[in-house]
Amino acid sequence: MRGADISAARRQKGISQRELAQRLGRSQSWVRDVENDRLQISLNDRQRLIKALYLDPRQHQV
């Protein structure tokens, strides 16, 4: 799951970086850094992103 994929999914759902950060219990800067591929996300964070963005886990296998 690339940062660009996360950003595109977030925008498609009409979710701001701030709102996504709140859903994840993270900071907006963390979301920004993930979307810009500055951070590697853990398996747990990947699963939480999939859930927070209402993505199909079968398409984004972890």
Side-chain angles (χ1 to χ4, degrees):
M1 184 177 237
R2 300 173 314 137
D5 298 330
I6 295 166
S7 179
R10 177 183 59 75
R11 290 176 187 192
Q12 183 180 26
K13 305 285 191 220
I15 300 170
S16 69
Q17 284 184 343
R18 179 175 296 204
E19 183 179 347
L20 180 57
Q22 289 173 341
R23 290 181 185 191
L24 298 170
R26 296 287 190 158
S27 66
Q28 183 178 353
S29 62
W30 182 89
V31 172
R32 182 192 63 230
D33 288 346
V34 167
E35 287 185 352
N36 289 314
D37 292 319
R38 292 187 196 125
L39 291 175
Q40 285 281 354
I41 58 174
S42 69
L43 177 61
N44 184 48
D45 285 331
R46 181 183 298 247
Q47 291 170 333
R48 292 175 66 208
L49 276 164
I50 289 169
K51 186 175 180 178
L53 292 170
Y54 310 110
L55 300 175
D56 183 349
R58 295 170 293 185
Q59 294 179 359
H60 301 280
Q61 291 187 355
V62 291

